[in-house]
Amino acid sequence: MEKSKRQLVRAAVITFILFLAASAIIAGSAWFVYYGEYNERVIENGNALNQNVKAIVEDYKILPWLISVWYSDDDFTAEPSDEIKEKFRYTDFSSLTQEYVESLSPEEQTAVARLAYFEMVDDLRKELGYKALRIMYYGSDDMEDEGCLVICCQYGSDVGLQEDSAWFETFVDYDESEHPVMTRIHDSGEDDPNYEFFMPKGSDKTYMYIYTPIISDTGVIAIVASCREWGEDVRSILISAAKIIAIALVLLLIIFSVVYFMISRHITERTGLAIERERQHSEMEIASKIQLSCMPSDLSAFDSRRDMSVYALIRPAKEVGGDFYDCFFIDDDHLALCIADVSDKGVAAAMFMMMAKVLIKNELSRDRSPALALTNVNRQLSENNDAQMFVTVWLMVAELSTGKCREVNAGHEDPAMRLSGGEWELIRYPHDLACGILPDIAYHEREFDMRPGDTVFVCTDGIPDAENTDKERFGTDRLITSLSQAGDKPKDMIMRVLSDADAFAGEMDQFDDMTMLCFTYEGTDTIEVTADDEHLPMVIGFADSKARIAGADDKLCGDIRLCTEEVFGNIIDHAYDDTGTAAVSAFTQDGYFCVRFADSGRPFDPAEADAPDTDTELSARKVGGLGVYLVQQLASDVRYSREDDMNILTVMFEIKEK
């Protein structure tokens, strides 16, 4: 009961914290919603007002001419004489053309500009509904020819503009230093609206200006500017937000009370089952820790390699099973990849899984054959297997220098493979029996070659067996589709499959572990090894594999292997007093397959070596020289250079088209 009370108090505290968090979220949301709507309304009204003014002003075809006359006429707002008014009484100034006004006398031009000014003011007053209006000039004394007209209007409450005719009696310079946005509009010549906040000198109020440029062939000739005091409706917004917050707090308080009552009732009813649940949870937690502790803790060590990339993932189910994966180097050139699934669940399955993983790694360390390794592992797992558990295993060993792979499948899911530039497909072939069932079973391996860009993907049955609410399986067809739509990196492929499987399952719980392993062979054109007899087979295999990929036939591949053996053997025997290293590269160039050897040993140019005496009997000949002679005879060309204290020997073989 004491534990139940602690749980009840904890639930109450958590619920109260959630209550406060929800209150804060609602309050913040109300504020941003109302304030955002206010800002949007200000900008929308300003834009609408500006567009109306812009439409009236742009209706005057001679607007650029009018602006130039107004600025040069210090008394352009003076009332024209009755004679002038009568002369142009029926003139529509908005429709006048440039040719017409230029045909008038200077006095008539001045009169037309003044009359057009008063007509424009009347039109603006009518359109704006007698809101405050002022016409100014933007610019300074040193940029008179580059300035522009500014029509400044207001809406809303007082913003410092007067609603009387005095605003039309002067034509003043606009202070460019106080309005940098105005300068940017004028200089850019763009037609987009702009916004600016401005606090006049000596004022404690901030105003928002909305600018809409008017563009002509010469650039910005006028700017419509509407302004409003910023924050006029904040008080009403705060009041509205406070009402919503108060209502939300009351509702949350009711919800808090109901939730607290339901939690207390639930805890009281389930007290008798708490101990059993805790025991089960503890067992699953132990199994999960055992399972995850057996996985490679960090695959980032493989990220720095250029010849391959690998990624793996395990997501345990609620009832932890015995899935596991492993990825490790047997030696410098052989990578082991393993994924497995134990038949049972819980702690027992986790222990069986750990034992299988350790045995597989130990057996591979003694022999690189995956078939022989699983044969020995199966025998040991079958001994004293009173629980009658078994484990399905997919195991592959990849030789990174050549791309040669050997795999064995002990009752596991079929792997999927995509050749470089090709499509994904399941690789179906006969499987051996799962490990742990019968002790005397010999496992068989399948050999295949991976070329740069080839990718292999394998998973446990938790992926294809995932079900949705209609009891449909995810299946291998959807798996292939997911892989086909994924990115090119192993991690992208695994995460896409996991995402698609989750989306397919929907609300269904994951009933089995989901484990995936993906490996892409990138290959390499260069290997660097210790110049000793132990690495000689690796170098020969590397050259042979690259030659076959390049299209060399069996005879040419035999010549390449023999030449590689001779050259690398010479490096082993003669390049160093002690042990050194050598870099071997294989590549195609201009129709030739090239094997390049680089070492930092003593200088040696094969072209300067004495030719062997082939006429003398073998027993009487001088030792040495035949290997170099053989390479020169078999290869199409042999080139040597000494660069940066390195011997660089390139042996070239012509590849004839089949």
Side-chain angles (χ1 to χ4, degrees):
M1 292 298 296
E2 187 65 27
K3 183 176 181 180
S4 299
K5 291 181 180 179
R6 289 198 304 269
Q7 291 178 338
L8 189 60
V9 172
R10 188 183 300 114
V13 172
I14 293 175
T15 307
F16 184 67
I17 292 174
L18 292 175
F19 165 73
L20 294 179
S23 302
I25 292 173
I26 291 176
S29 300
W31 168 258
F32 282 112
V33 168
Y34 274 85
Y35 202 67
E37 289 181 354
Y38 166 69
N39 293 348
E40 184 177 351
R41 187 168 64 251
V42 169
I43 294 174
E44 182 180 350
N45 292 343
N47 283 335
L49 181 63
N50 285 11
Q51 292 300 326
N52 290 338
V53 175
K54 181 179 178 181
I56 293 174
V57 174
E58 287 183 332
D59 194 40
Y60 285 79
K61 298 179 180 179
I62 56 171
L63 181 61
W65 179 83
L66 288 174
I67 293 175
S68 63
V69 175
W70 291 345
Y71 191 75
S72 61
D73 184 1
D74 294 334
D75 199 25
F76 77 98
T77 59
E79 186 77 17
S81 64
D82 292 339
E83 181 181 354
I84 293 297
K85 289 182 179 180
E86 183 62 28
K87 182 176 181 179
F88 295 98
R89 180 177 181 181
Y90 300 104
T91 301
D92 181 5
F93 295 98
S94 64
S95 62
L96 296 181
T97 63
Q98 187 74 23
E99 292 77 6
Y100 173 76
V101 295
E102 289 178 353
S103 66
L104 301 176
S105 66
E107 293 79 9
E108 290 175 328
Q109 290 181 0
T110 300
V112 167
R114 292 182 181 181
L115 290 172
Y117 170 77
F118 281 99
E119 181 182 271
M120 182 183 294
V121 167
D122 288 339
D123 291 343
L124 290 172
R125 280 185 175 275
K126 294 175 183 178
E127 181 64 32
L128 299 174
Y130 299 99
K131 292 181 175 64
L133 179 75
R134 184 175 188 181
I135 297 181
M136 297 172 285
Y137 187 80
Y138 167 71
S140 58
D141 293 338
D142 59 351
M143 56 177 293
E144 292 180 1
D145 295 336
E146 299 180 3
C148 63
L149 180 73
V150 179
I151 303 173
C152 188
C153 48
Q154 77 160 90
Y155 61 98
S157 61
D158 177 32
V159 294
L161 301 178
Q162 306 297 322
E163 296 191 10
D164 55 41
S165 60
W167 285 101
F168 304 98
E169 294 176 357
T170 58
F171 195 54
V172 300
D173 283 348
Y174 209 99
D175 188 351
E176 61 175 305
S177 65
E178 293 183 349
H179 296 275
V181 175
M182 191 84 76
T183 302
R184 186 169 66 248
I185 295 173
H186 177 265
D187 294 342
S188 68
E190 296 178 352
D191 196 25
D192 299 326
N194 287 262
Y195 312 96
E196 178 185 46
F197 293 95
F198 170 64
M199 177 179 287
K201 295 179 180 179
S203 173
D204 59 352
K205 295 181 179 180
T206 299
Y207 301 94
M208 178 183 181
Y209 279 77
I210 303 176
Y211 300 110
T212 303
I214 298 176
I215 309 296
S216 75
D217 295 339
T218 59
V220 178
I221 59 172
I223 299 176
V224 180
S226 62
C227 67
R228 176 180 186 132
E229 181 183 341
W230 190 249
E232 291 181 11
D233 295 336
V234 171
R235 184 169 178 271
S236 63
I237 290 174
L238 288 174
I239 293 174
S240 301
K243 291 179 180 179
I244 292 180
I245 292 171
I247 295 173
L249 290 177
V250 172
L251 293 176
L252 284 175
L253 185 59
I254 295 173
I255 294 173
F256 167 75
S257 301
V258 172
V259 170
Y260 180 78
F261 171 76
M262 294 177 65
I263 291 176
S264 62
R265 180 179 177 182
H266 176 75
I267 292 176
T268 301
E269 292 176 349
R270 300 298 298 272
T271 300
L273 300 176
I275 297 177
E276 179 63 20
R277 285 202 309 270
E278 187 173 344
R279 185 192 66 79
Q280 294 176 354
H281 175 73
S282 177
E283 181 178 339
M284 290 299 105
E285 191 175 45
I286 293 172
S288 178
K289 289 180 179 179
I290 293 174
Q291 183 183 41
L292 295 179
S293 66
C294 292
M295 304 303 119
S297 58
D298 186 12
L299 292 177
S300 61
F302 299 99
D303 293 345
S304 60
R305 297 190 64 95
R306 301 177 61 184
D307 53 358
M308 50 80 72
S309 55
V310 63
Y311 189 77
L313 177 144
I314 181 170
R315 190 174 72 181
K318 291 183 178 180
E319 296 184 4
V320 180
D323 284 14
F324 73 89
Y325 67 85
D326 204 355
C327 180
F328 59 92
F329 280 102
I330 302 173
D331 54 36
D332 293 342
D333 193 37
H334 291 84
L335 176 71
L337 301 168
C338 178
I339 187 170
D341 184 3
V342 176
S343 58
D344 207 346
K345 300 182 182 298
V347 175
M351 297 298 293
F352 192 81
M353 173 269 298
M354 183 171 60
M355 182 168 61
K357 179 177 180 294
V358 172
L359 289 174
I360 291 172
K361 192 167 187 177
N362 288 342
E363 291 296 330
L364 280 177
S365 66
R366 286 194 286 267
D367 192 294
R368 293 194 294 263
S369 168
L372 182 58
L374 274 196
T375 298
N376 294 332
V377 168
N378 173 67
R379 185 180 64 254
Q380 297 174 73
L381 289 178
S382 300
E383 296 174 354
N384 302 319
N385 185 11
D386 297 333
Q388 296 183 345
M389 288 188 289
F390 60 88
V391 56
T392 65
V393 181
W394 178 85
L395 179 62
M396 185 181 86
V397 175
E399 189 174 63
L400 299 180
S401 62
T402 64
K404 294 183 180 298
C405 299
R406 292 179 292 172
E407 68 171 344
V408 59
N409 194 321
H412 200 75
E413 296 291 318
D414 290 316
M417 191 168 184
R418 182 188 66 183
L419 301 181
S420 178
E423 302 293 333
W424 281 98
E425 61 177 337
L426 286 178
I427 307 301
R428 302 183 185 275
Y429 54 92
H431 296 181
D432 289 316
L433 196 64
C435 295
I437 298 177
L438 296 174
D440 300 323
I441 295 179
Y443 287 81
H444 308 85
E445 60 189 37
R446 183 178 76 97
E447 296 186 3
F448 62 97
D449 292 329
M450 292 187 72
R451 297 191 176 187
D454 291 355
T455 302
V456 62
F457 171 93
V458 64
C459 62
T460 58
D461 56 5
I463 296 294
D465 289 347
E467 293 185 349
N468 60 15
T469 53
D470 296 328
K471 299 298 181 181
E472 294 177 325
R473 293 176 65 253
F474 185 69
T476 56
D477 290 342
R478 291 186 177 88
L479 171 62
I480 295 298
T481 300
S482 295
L483 289 171
S484 301
Q485 296 173 350
D488 293 329
K489 297 182 179 180
K491 183 177 181 180
D492 297 337
M493 300 172 191
I494 286 179
M495 299 311 296
R496 177 58 186 259
V497 171
L498 183 64
S499 174
D500 288 351
D502 287 342
F504 174 79
E507 299 179 355
M508 288 291 290
D509 291 333
Q510 178 185 333
F511 67 88
D512 197 3
D513 295 347
M514 290 184 172
T515 308
M516 291 171 280
L517 176 66
C518 190
F519 169 76
T520 297
Y521 178 68
E522 303 293 353
T524 179
D525 292 334
T526 303
I527 58 173
E528 186 171 351
V529 297
T530 303
D532 55 24
D533 292 332
E534 180 183 350
H535 289 89
L536 179 58
M538 174 180 172
V539 172
I540 296 174
F542 169 72
D544 180 69
S545 174
K546 293 296 182 181
R548 294 186 184 279
I549 293 175
D553 57 25
D554 291 340
K555 181 181 181 305
L556 183 57
C557 285
D559 294 344
I560 292 171
R561 289 195 300 270
L562 184 56
C563 291
T564 301
E565 181 179 5
E566 290 295 337
V567 174
F568 194 74
N570 280 339
I571 295 174
I572 295 173
D573 296 334
H574 306 295
Y576 300 99
D577 294 330
D578 199 356
T579 303
T581 61
V584 183
S585 304
F587 55 92
T588 57
Q589 179 178 325
D590 300 330
Y592 289 87
F593 176 74
C594 306
V595 184
R596 179 171 294 165
F597 302 85
D599 67 84
S600 58
R602 59 178 58 88
F604 175 71
D605 184 355
E608 297 178 356
D610 295 333
D613 183 5
T614 57
D615 296 329
T616 306
E617 292 185 4
L618 185 62
S619 59
R621 293 179 192 173
K622 182 181 177 180
V623 177
L626 285 176
V628 173
Y629 176 75
L630 179 63
V631 171
Q632 292 173 336
Q633 294 301 311
L634 294 178
S636 301
D637 193 9
V638 178
R639 299 178 182 179
Y640 171 83
S641 63
R642 182 75 178 178
E643 302 175 11
D644 299 329
D645 295 328
M646 298 283 291
N647 293 312
I648 310 296
L649 181 66
T650 304
V651 185
M652 306 173 65
F653 303 87
E654 183 179 5
I655 299 179
K656 299 179 180 179
E657 295 184 2
K658 296 181 180 180

